[in-house]
Amino acid sequence: MIHYHGLPITPQTAAVSAINGGHAFISYRHRDQLGIAAEVCQSFAIDNGAFSAWRSGNPITDWSGFYEWAEMCMRFPSCDFAVIPDVIEGTESDNDDLLSEWPLPRHFGAPVWHMHESLERLERLVNEWPRICLGSSGEFSVVGNENWWSRINDAMVIICDDRQRPKCKLHGLRMLNPKVVSRLPLASADSTNIGRNIGIDVHWKKGHYLPPTKEARAMVMRSRIESVNSPSVWTPIEMTMVVKMQEVLVLPEWLK
C-alpha cells in the first residue's frame, strides 16, 4: 500500500525528509508545498480541503478554483488521484450532486463515503468508481474504537467480493495508524501525524538517543509509520478482538 504523508510540514527541510522518495498528500487549503512534492516524491495525491475549511467556519461552496488546481495537478506524472469535493455534515444528496459536477476523468477522482452514510450509497460508489475514500464521521469519527470497527465490519461486507478482496481501491482518510493499516486491505492511506508532531518537544523528551532535529524526527516517524503494510484481503474480526487489541497494543501518542 501507499503511505501518504500530509503536507504542509515545516521547515521545508523536514518536509523533504518526510516525503523524499515517498508519497505526499496535499490539501487544496494548504498547497504551498506542491512544488516540493512534485520534485522529490514518488507520487502524491490531492485533497479538496473541505474538512479544514469547515472547521475554520468557512465551508467551501464554490469549487471552481479546486477544479482548476486539480486539473493542473493531474498533468504531473507523479499525481495519483484527487479526493472529490464533499459536504461536511451534508446529506447524501448533497454529496451525490458534487459527484455529478466532477469535471475531470473518473479514474482521477475518488469520492468519499462518510461512515455515517448508508450502506446503499457505499454499494453504489464501490460499483461505479475505481477508487473510493473511507471517511470517519458522525458516530464513527474516532478511528479505531469499537464502534468504528463494527461499522467497518458492516462496510466490508459490501466492499469485498466472495474471496474478501476489495472490489475497488480503498483509500483510508486519517488511517495511517498501524492498528488500522495492519487490518484493512487498503490501497493507500494518509495522515498528518508527522506535520503535527515533529515540533511538539514533549513527545521527544524520553530516551537516550533523541533525534536532534526536526528533519531527524520526520525520518524516525516516517520509518515507524511505513513499517506496517496492509493485507491483500479482509479478515472479519470479532469485537472482543478489537477490545483486546486496544488493551494490548500501546502506541506512542504521535501514532494514534
Side-chain angles (χ1 to χ4, degrees):
M1 65 161 288
I2 296 177
H3 303 73
Y4 290 104
H5 299 291
L7 299 179
I9 296 173
T10 56
Q12 290 193 5
T13 49
V16 172
S17 294
I19 63 175
N20 188 29
H23 310 275
F25 203 63
I26 306 170
S27 170
Y28 176 59
R29 189 170 174 83
H30 302 286
R31 52 192 184 275
D32 294 345
Q33 292 184 337
L34 173 62
I36 296 175
E39 182 176 351
V40 306
C41 281
Q42 287 188 47
S43 71
F44 65 93
I46 59 174
D47 182 42
N48 58 55
F51 183 73
S52 298
W54 173 77
R55 288 190 65 182
S56 73
N58 297 295
I60 301 171
T61 56
D62 179 6
W63 288 101
S64 58
F66 172 73
Y67 295 147
E68 292 176 5
W69 183 68
E71 183 175 20
M72 182 270 293
C73 291
M74 185 176 65
R75 306 302 174 187
F76 286 96
S78 55
C79 188
D80 291 334
F81 70 92
V83 179
I84 295 175
D86 56 328
V87 182
I88 308 300
E89 293 192 337
T91 65
E92 293 187 12
S93 178
D94 292 333
N95 286 308
D96 284 342
D97 287 345
L98 285 173
L99 296 188
S100 299
E101 184 181 292
W102 178 243
L104 300 177
R106 183 171 288 248
H107 69 80
F108 183 66
V112 179
W113 178 67
H114 306 88
M115 290 175 62
H116 72 276
E117 294 177 338
S118 69
L119 295 176
E120 289 75 20
R121 183 171 192 263
L122 172 63
E123 185 172 24
R124 178 157 44 84
L125 295 179
V126 167
N127 290 329
E128 294 179 358
W129 293 83
R131 183 194 312 265
I132 68 168
C133 300
L134 303 177
S136 305
S137 59
E139 63 268 42
F140 312 106
S141 61
V142 180
V143 177
N145 70 12
E146 186 173 356
N147 195 37
W148 187 90
W149 278 112
S150 178
R151 185 60 167 172
I152 285 291
N153 264 333
D154 293 339
M156 285 298 172
V157 174
I158 304 297
I159 292 171
C160 295
D161 63 17
D162 57 2
R163 297 176 64 180
Q164 302 299 334
R165 300 171 302 187
K167 299 173 187 175
C168 67
K169 291 186 180 297
L170 301 177
H171 176 82
L173 296 168
R174 298 190 297 118
M175 292 186 193
L176 278 185
N177 186 318
K179 290 188 296 184
V180 174
V181 169
S182 64
R183 302 293 313 192
L184 288 182
L186 299 171
S188 58
D190 72 86
S191 81
T192 57
N193 281 342
I194 295 179
R196 288 186 290 108
N197 289 289
I198 59 170
I200 302 178
D201 292 340
V202 69
H203 291 172
W204 302 90
K205 292 295 185 183
K206 297 179 180 179
H208 299 291
Y209 301 99
L210 301 179
T213 65
K214 289 183 178 180
E215 291 78 10
R217 291 177 181 181
M219 294 177 68
V220 168
M221 291 188 68
R222 174 180 172 180
S223 176
R224 176 65 180 90
I225 292 169
E226 294 184 4
S227 67
V228 179
N229 214 348
S230 285
S232 299
V233 297
W234 164 245
T235 302
I237 58 176
E238 299 291 337
M239 289 302 101
T240 53
M241 185 184 300
V242 173
V243 174
K244 185 177 181 180
M245 287 164 54
Q246 292 172 341
E247 291 175 348
V248 174
L249 183 53
V250 179
L251 297 172
E253 285 297 321
W254 45 264
L255 281 177
K256 293 180 179 178

